[in-house]
Amino acid sequence: MSDILTLTMNPALDISTAIDRVEPVHKLRCGPHQTHPGGGGINVARVLHRLGSRVTAIYTAGGPLGRELSALLDAEGVPAQVVPIAGATRESFSVFERRSGQDFRFVLPGPTLTEAEWTACLDAVVAGLAQARYVVVSGGLPPGVPADFYARLAQRVRAVGGWLVLDSNGAALAETLAAGVYLVKPSLRELRELTGQPLSDEASWRDAARALIAKGQAQIVALSLGEDGALLVTAGEAWRAQSLKVSVASTIGAGDSFVGGLVWALSEGKALDEAFRYAMAAGAAALLSPGTNLCDPADVERLHHDVVVTAA
């Protein structure tokens, strides 16, 4: 029985390593590598599980890489439901350049899903709605899946009184917002693309988020601002938080950890500003770990006391 479901339509086996310097032509001798189960919803489920939530990760998997991904997720003890597909699960490769502190990420498109396969994903989530309160859909859609897939799911979730949390991009983001969600986490770039506006200052960010809410597209907007922190907006309130200064081992997974921390806190009944603190702490905690290790709960609890949230 799960309180939270996460859906990952295009998971990946994440391989990460580090090197002093990335340069063309020459063979680049990397350091030891790490392998983790990846994809937005899977990462959010990993964070939620660590924080103590009753969560089930629903995801597609196929081929040898799909089996390896499932074995790694099982090893972490994350409850999961696999939707088998004929295509092979993709692989993603990231390199942390020590000289610059930058991550270089190489992401493949993933397998093409048939209508029967993506319909099975929809059915799997709907079947879990008898118990789950939250559904987190995170990540892009693989080839073959219609852009309104998440929108169809949002309608089904809302029909039974559930809350859908959306972290996606492109056409899938726009289509799903048109259907309406509980919470959306766009980046500033994505919000600019949605609105067609430059959004050059904090007042314009807040106004653009409020416009989404006024249209019924979301009840809460968590706007990610990268190194500049984040903004959390509802119809009547708004809060701003700056990023915590931590030693960065990798930026990968910080956004997924932010979503995991936010949904965990909300599911625990914490006030929105306090949930925002936990989200910021989880995102910062993920920066401390290399690759897609994600956040450590002890770091989240320690760092959340340092997060300063102000009215915006």
Side-chain angles (χ1 to χ4, degrees):
M1 193 176 349
S2 297
D3 296 325
I4 305 168
L5 304 175
T6 72
L7 176 63
T8 313
M9 294 298 293
N10 199 15
L13 189 68
D14 283 342
I15 298 174
S16 57
T17 186
I19 196 169
D20 290 334
R21 178 178 178 177
V22 175
E23 56 185 349
V25 181
H26 302 291
K27 291 182 179 180
L28 304 180
R29 306 293 180 181
C30 300
H33 74 278
Q34 298 183 359
T35 305
H36 294 108
I42 284 177
N43 286 338
V44 172
R46 292 168 64 200
V47 171
L48 286 165
H49 176 70
R50 293 176 189 182
L51 294 174
S53 294
R54 297 193 302 178
V55 60
T56 296
I58 300 172
Y59 63 95
T60 61
L65 294 180
R67 291 192 290 273
E68 185 174 353
L69 184 150
S70 294
L72 289 168
L73 197 59
D74 288 344
E76 291 193 25
V78 179
Q81 182 177 346
V82 179
V83 178
I85 59 172
T89 294
R90 64 182 176 146
E91 194 172 60
S92 292
F93 185 71
S94 64
V95 178
F96 180 75
E97 186 183 57
R98 300 186 189 96
R99 182 188 64 168
S100 65
Q102 298 294 317
D103 284 301
F104 292 81
R105 306 174 68 178
F106 304 88
V107 180
L108 300 176
T112 298
L113 269 59
T114 66
E115 182 175 353
E117 289 169 343
W118 60 257
T119 299
C121 295
L122 180 63
D123 292 342
V125 176
V126 171
L129 288 173
Q131 300 296 336
R133 293 177 294 162
Y134 290 88
V135 176
V136 181
V137 291
S138 181
L141 295 172
V145 181
D148 69 347
F149 174 83
Y150 290 150
R152 301 184 196 193
L153 182 57
Q155 292 166 350
R156 302 288 288 275
V157 172
R158 186 171 59 252
V160 297
W163 297 317
L164 189 131
V165 176
L166 174 67
D167 184 8
S168 191
N169 54 71
L173 173 61
E175 292 270 3
T176 313
L177 285 177
V181 302
Y182 171 65
L183 187 152
V184 63
K185 188 196 78 69
S187 67
L188 183 55
R189 174 183 57 80
E190 289 163 347
L191 190 59
R192 284 171 174 153
E193 291 173 354
L194 282 169
T195 62
Q197 300 173 11
L199 304 182
S200 55
D201 56 35
E202 186 170 314
S204 66
W205 305 339
R206 185 182 61 248
D207 291 345
R210 284 254 166 82
L212 296 181
I213 295 168
K215 294 175 185 175
Q217 295 184 334
Q219 295 181 44
I220 303 171
V221 177
L223 179 62
S224 173
L225 301 167
E227 293 180 355
D228 291 326
L231 182 70
L232 191 72
V233 181
T234 69
E237 297 178 284
W239 297 274
R240 182 78 161 87
Q242 297 291 337
S243 295
L244 293 175
K245 303 302 181 183
V246 297
S247 178
V248 178
S250 173
T251 60
I252 301 172
D256 296 331
S257 291
F258 176 98
V259 173
L262 184 59
V263 174
W264 169 79
L266 291 174
S267 71
E268 293 290 310
K270 297 186 184 298
L272 271 173
D273 58 338
E274 181 69 358
F276 191 22
R277 288 186 180 88
Y278 273 104
M280 293 297 298
L287 301 176
L288 300 172
S289 300
T292 48
N293 273 308
L294 305 176
C295 61
D296 183 287
D299 289 329
V300 175
E301 187 60 34
R302 172 176 58 85
L303 290 171
H304 107 275
H305 297 289
D306 298 330
V307 177
V308 177
V309 171
T310 58

